[in-house]
Every structure is written in structure tokens, then in C-alpha cells.
Amino acid sequence: MDQYEPDRLTPPQMAAVRRSLRSGRAALTRRSLLRASAGGVLMAGGLSACGIPAAGRTPGGTSADDRSAREKTVNFSNWTEYIDVDDSGKRHPTLAAFQKKTGISVRYTEDINDNNEFFGKIKPQLAAGQETGRDLIVLTDWLAARLIRLGWVQKLDPANLPHAFANLSPQFRTPDWDPGRAYSYPWQGISTVIAYNKKALDGIEVRSVSDLLDNPKLKGRVGFLSEMRDSVGMTLLDMGKDPADFTGDDYDAAIARLQKAVDKGQIRRFTGNDYTADLAKGDFAACVAWAGDVVQLKADSPDVDFIIPDSGYVTSTDNMLIPNKARHKTNAERLIDFFYEPEQAAALAAYINYVTPVDNVKPWLAKIDRDAADNPLIVPDKAMQAKSHAFRSLSQKEETAYEEKFAKLTGA
């Protein structure tokens, strides 16, 4: 039986949280950056250090009396700036379409700003076997894996998910933390690529992470991300190692390779979203970047572009889950399934510009935005899908050790 992790975070875990708050997802989030540019508006522990068993640890989590049939509502918690909005800034067209189709109203709340912070909000209720007041939540894959491991989310009913089952993109079907997607479905995908400024490169070719780390002509003009999984994952791939299946020695070798580049001044700095300003200005000639940012940067600057290394790229997901004791489980499953209808997935992708996890969405998206439909950072083609690699799940011991080594590397 799984147990709670210690309540007090270790120093390397605290460093990871500080990086997130200062420059990662909890700072100027990628979602906020995209919306602002378009003109629109890690590890938390449990309740005891002595190993109290997880509450409700049964296959499929713990259900409540499902009130879906008599209460036509669903409570949906999501990240800020992560859904389509109409010109008024107050109405979400896809949610309105869901209500019109099903008669189910959606109470939509943007109360997730950071995985760690949100986990702190919901863990007391989940640990006590109580409801959270939410029927559907969106969490990044590593935290989704934790909730599944603890038995704090409910197993999904395939009968309520025909579109999701049929239309989920192959690259997202079998994460090691939820094989077959028994407990979760992706909301959106997040790809890590190499971005560059053509003017700053001035003819220098960049095709790989090796080019970033080893080409002396780029000394002091290279950026890597302050998120461990992205920077180390891309380095592992460049070394011929799979981020989904690596050893501790492999990890140490990747850290050593990055450290060498730091020591010789090749890497200018490790950044969160703030790399976008460096890249646009040309202070970074090239960097490891998030695809969602690159979509908007390319639209704003003709000098910015990206490449997918032959070795591949790292991908992660934000995922929809139904917490234990949710009162409207069936309604939540119907909402998940609704976003896997290609027409609705296209409306969402056209607005937020992340990787859509829905297969066969391109013809629908083309009706809304041809450029978005043709952009592999939003709709990956089969060749790009084949190059995607997820960072494997980590044990608590690994998480602590790996974050400590990465924090030392970055000076966090």
C-alpha cells in the first residue's frame, strides 16, 4: 500500500518549487504569455512523516453517490488562461456548446496556478476520504501520477468516453504512470523543442542539443530550461538515451554534460518563460524552449523558428482526472468526452495553441485557422509524433536525488 511522503519538503524539492514560482509555470505562465500576446486578457508531501496509509486506497479510487442524473452540473477546475474565451472575455464557447448539447451546466473555475499549490489545497480532503467540491481537475503528468498511485482519483468508465477512446492521439495513449488511460485523459500536450533566432545565428547551423552544448561560436548565447525534466530529458535524448527508460548513471552523465557546458560558459543561463525575451532580442541565439511559446513568438517575429532534433523531443501532458468522492462523475466523463470530439478540440486548439491530444483534428482546425492546422507544434504529424518521448515516472527517492543534482547545476 502506498504511503504519504514526508510533510516537510527536502532542500532540493524546495529549490524546484522556488524555480517554478520564480520563472517556471507558476510565474508568467505559458498560457498567460500566449493570451497577453494575442491581445486577450513539485512536490508537496502528505500529512505525516511517519507513513500513514493513503485513504481510500482501492482499485479505481473511491466513488460517492453519483448525482449526475438528478443534478445537471459539473464542477471543473483548470489552470488560468487555458480555455477558449469569446470577445467579451467572459464566455467560453466550448463550454456553452457542451451545455447546449447535454443540458449540463459547467461551473468553471480557474483556481490552478501551480501544481504544488493546488495539491496543497486538495490533499487534506482527499487524505481524509472527503470530497473536494470538484468533479474534474487538470494536473501535469507527474502530479497526476502521484494521485493515481495514492488512490485519490477514480477509474473512468469507458462507456461514457467513446470519442476519447477512439480519438486519443497514439503518442499519448500509454504513459507509464497510467497505462491505457484508465484514470486520465490529456487536456493538452506540452512539447520541448529547440528554438533559435535566425539573425543572431548569422548562418550558424543548429540541428541538435550537441550543437547547443559544443559549438564554440554559440558560447554565452545558449539557454536551457529551469525545469529539470525538459533540460535533462533533451540532453538524454541527444546522448542516445530514452527519457522513458534511463538509469541513475545515465542521469548523472547528462548532468555532467550540462555541467561541462556551464563551466566553459557555453550556457548563458537556465530560464523559465523569460527566455522568450532573450530569444526575441537575440541574446539567445538558440535555446531549449516550450512549443506553445514558439508558436506565438514565430507569429510576432520572423527571426524566430524551431527545429525538432533527429534524436527526438520531450513531451508532457496536462491531464483531466476525477477526484475521489466527486458528486457528478458521469457528467465529468461526458465533459471529458466532449473535448475529444474533433470539432471541439479544434476550437480549443485554435485559441490556446498547445498540442492537441485529439487525432483527426486537422480538417476541423483548418476551417478555423489554416496556419494552426499546418503547424506541427499544434497538430504533430506522424513523423513528429514518432519522435516524442515522455520523461519516466520517478520514485520519491529519485525525485529528491535528481532535483538536488539539478539544483546544484543551475545554482538554484
Side-chain angles (χ1 to χ4, degrees):
M1 179 178 289
D2 289 327
Q3 296 181 330
Y4 296 127
E5 292 86 354
D7 196 29
R8 185 178 299 277
L9 300 186
T10 66
Q13 290 173 339
M14 284 302 300
V17 172
R18 286 194 297 270
R19 287 199 305 275
S20 179
L21 291 171
R22 182 172 65 248
S23 59
R25 293 174 65 120
L28 175 60
T29 67
R30 283 163 277 170
R31 305 172 183 86
S32 299
L33 175 71
L34 289 170
R35 287 285 291 115
S37 299
V41 182
L42 282 167
M43 281 64 64
L47 297 178
S48 171
C50 59
I52 301 172
R57 189 65 173 94
T58 57
T62 305
S63 61
D65 173 28
D66 190 351
R67 305 180 184 185
S68 295
R70 61 185 185 273
E71 295 179 4
K72 296 296 184 180
T73 188
V74 59
N75 297 311
F76 183 12
S77 283
N78 202 351
W79 293 72
T80 57
E81 313 288 358
Y82 210 17
I83 198 170
D84 54 316
V85 182
D86 68 5
D87 291 340
S88 73
K90 299 178 180 179
R91 182 175 175 272
H92 306 296
T94 51
L95 297 183
F98 174 74
Q99 181 169 352
K100 182 178 180 180
K101 178 178 180 178
T102 65
I104 300 169
S105 63
V106 181
R107 182 185 177 190
Y108 185 75
T109 308
E110 294 183 327
D111 61 346
I112 306 177
N113 295 299
D114 174 70
N115 284 291
N116 300 290
E117 177 188 63
F118 186 71
F119 186 55
K121 288 181 183 179
I122 64 175
K123 70 176 181 181
Q125 293 96 330
L126 292 173
Q130 300 170 352
E131 63 171 300
T132 65
R134 301 166 176 88
D135 302 307
L136 191 64
I137 56 178
V138 176
L139 299 175
T140 305
D141 42 22
W142 64 264
L143 184 54
R146 171 173 292 182
L147 264 65
I148 292 170
R149 187 175 72 246
L150 290 170
W152 287 356
V153 293
Q154 298 187 55
K155 202 165 193 176
L156 302 174
D157 184 349
N160 294 326
L161 298 160
H163 295 99
F165 180 81
N167 295 330
L168 176 60
S169 174
Q171 77 178 99
F172 298 121
R173 282 191 176 271
T174 55
D176 65 349
W177 47 272
D178 187 15
R181 292 289 180 182
Y183 295 88
S184 68
Y185 269 90
W187 174 249
Q188 296 290 287
I190 304 165
S191 298
T192 305
V193 300
I194 294 176
Y196 59 88
N197 185 305
K198 299 174 190 176
K199 186 176 181 180
L201 283 178
D202 192 25
I204 301 171
E205 185 176 51
V206 171
R207 302 298 306 168
S208 67
V209 169
S210 287
D211 291 332
L212 299 183
L213 294 175
D214 301 330
N215 190 334
K217 294 180 180 179
L218 297 177
K219 183 177 179 178
R221 299 191 295 145
V222 168
F224 274 73
L225 292 168
S226 57
E227 296 294 336
M228 179 267 287
R229 288 167 175 80
D230 295 308
S231 286
V232 174
M234 291 292 282
T235 304
L236 284 167
L237 283 169
D238 190 72
M239 297 169 64
K241 304 296 182 179
D242 187 350
D245 184 20
F246 65 89
T247 66
D249 288 342
D250 295 333
Y251 183 90
D252 288 345
I255 290 290
R257 188 151 187 244
L258 289 166
Q259 185 67 60
K260 182 179 178 181
V262 170
D263 292 343
K264 67 182 181 181
Q266 185 77 6
I267 297 175
R268 184 184 184 95
R269 64 192 184 102
F270 291 83
T271 72
N273 281 107
D274 47 329
Y275 73 84
T276 56
D278 290 314
L279 186 62
K281 290 188 297 183
D283 291 342
F284 282 164
C287 62
V288 177
W290 288 307
D293 293 340
V294 177
V295 172
Q296 188 60 46
L297 287 171
K298 278 173 58 66
D300 294 340
S301 172
D303 292 327
V304 174
D305 211 334
F306 76 99
I307 62 106
I308 302 296
D310 289 340
S311 59
Y313 66 100
V314 174
T315 188
S316 57
T317 50
D318 288 329
N319 307 275
M320 295 178 280
L321 306 103
I322 299 175
N324 282 357
K325 296 296 183 75
R327 295 187 177 189
H328 310 101
K329 180 175 184 287
T330 299
N331 291 346
E333 289 167 339
R334 293 185 68 181
L335 184 57
I336 293 172
D337 196 62
F338 179 77
F339 279 106
Y340 275 81
E341 296 179 16
E343 181 178 4
Q344 306 307 327
L348 187 61
Y351 190 84
I352 62 176
N353 294 157
Y354 277 78
V355 180
T356 175
V358 180
D359 216 8
N360 302 315
V361 77
K362 187 170 183 175
W364 293 94
L365 184 54
K367 297 177 182 179
I368 305 171
D369 186 336
R370 168 56 68 179
D371 289 341
D374 292 336
N375 191 332
L377 297 181
I378 299 175
V379 186
D381 56 26
K382 290 184 178 180
M384 185 169 172
Q385 289 180 11
K387 290 185 176 183
S388 71
H389 299 265
F391 200 97
R392 71 169 173 82
S393 300
L394 300 178
S395 68
Q396 180 69 12
K397 183 178 179 181
E398 287 177 322
E399 188 87 56
T400 300
Y402 292 174
E403 285 289 2
E404 182 177 32
K405 292 172 181 177
F406 190 71
K408 184 178 179 181
L409 167 73
T410 62

